Amino acid sequence: MTEGSESDTWEAVMAALRFVVEPDEGNSIWLAGLGVDFKIGGEDTGNQFSIVEHPIEPGRLVPPHVHSREDEFTYVLQGRVGARVGDHEATAGPGSYLIKPRGILHTVWNAGPEPARVLEIISPAGFEGFFEELGRAAETAADPAEFLQRRAELGEQYGLGFSDEWVAELTARYGLKLLGEP
């Protein structure tokens, strides 16, 4: 190989990164029905993408939202996951992928009676910071109103908009509860 070749560059990148991420590695937070297990951060990928895993309680609905900066690619590891992306709705089981492009309102929920777990690829990286800050807000908010206010502020900071659209329909049709509801 010649000096400065693509292979040399790749070796330098690999030397700076973790080669294996063990199942129990990474920080975790809990958001009243949805977990966030941080696996690969943007600092590990040149900010090209990040990866988190989400355990989801049965019957939990993630509030409908739209990203302005990143796309999400969800791989179902365990359980059955419902999703609505724009006008499309589907249920996916283990081994399935869900694609949630930026700029399109979407939501997911645990559609089965057992816990679900998904792997989420976020591209480009950066949005994982939203989860970190939201976890701190969940721990420190004095009441639910303060948490929702902080979530809205973080949404603006991270280019994320929330919507109540579909909530009444999906919760009634599937017997779901929004994250944080008792």
Side-chain angles (χ1 to χ4, degrees), residues 10 41 44 49 62 65 71 75 93 100 160 175:
W10 180 246
D44 296 323
F49 65 93
V62 173
H65 57 279
D71 303 307
Y75 180 76
K100 300 172 292 182
L160 180 73

Side-chain angles (χ1 to χ4, degrees), residues 66-165:
V66 62
H67 299 263
S68 65
R69 302 176 189 157
E70 55 278 317
D71 303 307
E72 293 178 306
F73 306 89
T74 303
Y75 180 76
V76 181
L77 298 166
Q78 167 189 343
R80 305 276 308 155
V81 176
R84 181 158 180 185
V85 179
D87 293 333
H88 304 281
E89 190 174 308
T91 302
S96 300
Y97 290 86
L98 300 165
I99 300 167
K100 300 172 292 182
R102 73 186 80 186
I104 299 177
L105 187 65
H106 61 274
T107 186
V108 297
W109 61 91
N110 182 335
E114 71 280 343
R117 185 172 196 85
V118 301
L119 180 144
E120 191 93 88
I121 301 167
I122 305 165
S123 177
F127 188 73
E128 65 274 20
F130 171 83
F131 291 124
E132 292 171 4
E133 293 190 55
L134 191 63
R136 283 193 290 278
E139 292 174 356
T140 60
D143 56 42
E146 182 182 335
F147 173 77
L148 291 176
Q149 175 62 36
R150 184 70 183 124
R151 184 186 77 174
E153 292 166 1
L154 288 169
E156 285 184 36
Q157 180 182 337
Y158 283 90
L160 180 73
F162 291 95
S163 173
D164 290 334
E165 194 173 345

Side-chain angles (χ1 to χ4, degrees), residues 6-70:
E6 186 175 316
S7 177
D8 290 340
T9 301
W10 180 246
E11 287 299 320
V13 168
M14 288 302 296
L17 301 179
R18 293 179 291 166
F19 181 62
V20 174
V21 178
E22 297 292 338
D24 59 349
E25 275 189 77
N27 294 328
S28 297
I29 60 169
W30 188 249
L31 299 170
L34 176 79
V36 183
D37 299 333
F38 299 92
K39 295 300 178 182
I40 299 175
E43 68 278 2
D44 296 323
T45 67
N47 291 316
Q48 296 299 304
F49 65 93
S50 62
I51 297 177
V52 298
E53 290 182 22
H54 294 300
I56 311 169
E57 285 182 347
R60 288 297 184 169
L61 173 68
V62 173
H65 57 279
V66 62
H67 299 263
S68 65
R69 302 176 189 157
E70 55 278 317

